[in-house]
Amino acid sequence: RIFHLAAAPDLPGMADTIATIGATLRTTPVLCASCGEPLCQRGDPRRPGGPVYAVVPDDLRSILICPFFFSPETSSVFRRRTLLHEAGHAAGIDDAADYRHPPYCSDADHDCMDPCPAGGDTLRNVDAWAWFIQCMAGPQSTDPEPCTFNSRQRALVTASRFDALSVAGRAAQAASSGDRHVARMASRIFHVDPDLPVLAGIAVRIHHALGGTPVSCGAEGDGNCGSTDPASGRGQTLVAVPADMGTLFVCPAFYAAGTGERRRALLREAARLARIDADHPDGARERCGASATGCADPCPAVIGLGSADAWARFLECASFSS
């Protein structure tokens, strides 16, 4: 499907070619090119006018990584395939090819059914070899890309976390002061007779969990951020807590959400981190509505103090009333 061979493939010969590409990638210096590097300015023949991500000089003695290689728009899968492509050049796979530029394959991240066009000397097409190696690697080629916060994302996460911490702190103070309005609100949200000292203590635990847990960047499609979230107005997971309860993962949908959605998502997951459901199992799996407004009766289905979603609503509403 990738090489479009008319005869049965020479698998031992293909294994030798893969070994040659791998050995070249291990032994060839990989250098970081400056923004002014002429080889990074000449344009990519597969994308007229498009950027060059990596290039092998004519002496075949190194692989130059161009600045666009590090662009946030490129995925780990694309960068992996780019390095395999350039290693094929450095290994001389296409030295005797019957074309100047190979027929380039798909730019998609995952397409192993028919990614490369037919025609030409396909077994000397380094782009086809990059695809073949990636597709033969199986699940490794679909591993989610580790992500890091860029400056804008980090600033938004920091501000949102401070906002949620302030809300939890004010709610704890309001509950500890015996505010009757807070008691009525707790009754409407949790559907129980409120014990304000207990509520204040739980609010403090949530505050500590949110303030003391590391926050990490969650990548699109990984196991933490891949599921939908019925409590979100977007139906997407904004913040997730992994099974080991050791961190808060901020998912890609978080950055497009509104202030209230981000606040409630952080408070909800902090309540899970505080293990509120361990002490109050009733209603632990219940969800409130996704509406961004209204503290009168936002959680009609919730029974008891175990719902993290109800706690997010209570902290928000109690904070605004204080």
Side-chain angles (χ1 to χ4, degrees):
R1 289 197 297 264
I2 292 177
F3 293 104
H4 300 277
L5 301 176
D10 175 12
L11 294 182
M14 298 182 80
D16 289 342
T17 300
I18 294 173
T20 299
I21 292 173
T24 301
L25 191 56
R26 287 194 303 272
T27 59
T28 301
V30 178
L31 308 177
C32 184
S34 68
C35 293
E37 168 59 52
L39 292 177
C40 293
Q41 308 298 322
R42 66 186 184 184
D44 189 332
R46 86 177 97 176
R47 306 177 194 82
V52 176
Y53 297 94
V55 64
V56 173
D58 291 338
D59 62 11
L60 303 181
R61 294 181 178 177
S62 63
I63 298 174
L64 293 182
I65 303 300
C66 299
F68 274 104
F69 183 89
F70 305 102
S71 168
E73 297 177 0
T74 61
S75 68
S76 61
V77 174
F78 180 86
R79 291 194 290 268
R80 181 186 305 132
R81 200 164 60 244
T82 296
L83 285 173
L84 290 168
H85 174 115
E86 300 305 329
H89 283 313
I93 301 301
D94 56 348
D95 280 353
D98 58 1
Y99 44 73
R100 181 179 179 186
H101 295 299
Y104 284 98
C105 303
S106 170
D107 278 341
D109 271 358
H110 308 294
D111 176 14
C112 291
M113 295 304 295
D114 190 16
C116 301
D121 191 355
T122 56
L123 285 176
R124 297 186 184 276
N125 181 347
V126 295
D127 213 36
W129 277 106
W131 264 101
F132 180 67
I133 293 170
Q134 175 179 275
C135 292
M136 288 298 294
Q140 293 181 6
S141 65
T142 61
D143 286 345
E145 176 183 3
C147 77
T148 56
F149 296 119
N150 62 35
S151 57
R152 175 188 167 276
Q153 291 170 339
R154 186 172 297 280
L156 183 62
V157 170
T158 300
S160 299
R161 193 181 194 185
F162 180 80
D163 172 50
L165 283 168
S166 299
V167 163
R170 290 198 301 269
Q173 291 177 348
S176 63
S177 69
D179 189 317
R180 292 183 179 179
H181 177 69
V182 172
R184 289 193 297 271
M185 188 177 303
S187 179
R188 289 197 297 265
I189 292 175
F190 295 111
H191 300 271
V192 297
D193 293 329
D195 184 331
L196 291 182
V198 170
L199 297 180
I202 294 176
V204 169
R205 285 170 55 189
I206 294 173
H207 183 278
H208 288 169
L210 181 58
T213 303
V215 176
S216 299
C217 176
E220 188 74 55
D222 71 18
N224 297 298
C225 296
S227 61
T228 59
D229 184 356
S232 167
R234 301 170 182 273
Q236 298 169 293
T237 298
L238 306 187
V239 182
V241 174
D244 63 10
M245 308 289 279
T247 189
L248 281 167
F249 278 102
V250 175
C251 301
F254 183 87
Y255 310 111
T259 301
E261 285 182 281
R262 294 196 300 269
R263 179 193 306 124
R264 285 188 292 276
L266 286 169
L267 291 171
R268 181 174 64 247
E269 299 309 316
R272 292 198 177 109
L273 285 169
R275 300 304 304 269
I276 305 303
D277 58 337
D279 298 334
H280 304 278
D282 291 342
R285 297 184 179 276
E286 297 291 344
R287 297 280 191 166
C288 302
S291 172
T293 60
C295 290
D297 192 15
C299 308
V302 174
I303 303 173
L305 298 177
S307 168
D309 212 36
W311 271 102
R313 287 294 178 147
F314 171 72
L315 295 173
E316 187 176 56
C317 294
S319 168
F320 293 159
S321 72
S322 62

